[in-house]
Amino acid sequence: MAIVKTYHYPNGTVYIDDDCYRDVAPDEMQRRIERLQKTAWELLMNQERRKKDEGK
């Protein structure tokens, strides 16, 4: 296992591990990308809802 990249964000840290992607079939990689996009979208929507609720 090797951490190849680290991203720091206000609400957390993301570590990119090359073992997660090595030897992955293209269709599996596409599923992973789509799942990540869905999760990111849900996080963004939840953040917007919280901002809206706090503003009431």
Side-chain angles (χ1 to χ4, degrees):
M1 177 172 108
I3 303 299
V4 295
K5 188 73 177 172
T6 303
Y7 297 96
H8 297 283
Y9 297 101
N11 295 322
T13 302
V14 175
Y15 299 97
I16 305 299
D17 174 357
D18 63 352
D19 289 342
C20 295
Y21 302 101
R22 188 180 63 205
D23 302 325
V24 173
D27 60 328
E28 174 61 20
M29 183 60 74
Q30 186 61 38
R31 280 192 295 272
R32 291 181 184 188
I33 291 168
E34 289 169 2
R35 188 173 60 229
L36 178 61
Q37 289 172 331
K38 181 181 179 214
T39 300
W41 180 252
E42 289 172 357
L43 289 169
L44 180 63
M45 295 306 295
N46 288 337
Q47 179 183 20
E48 291 300 317
R49 272 190 225 115
R50 282 193 301 273
K51 284 182 184 177
K52 190 175 184 179
D53 290 343
E54 290 172 359
K56 288 184 177 181

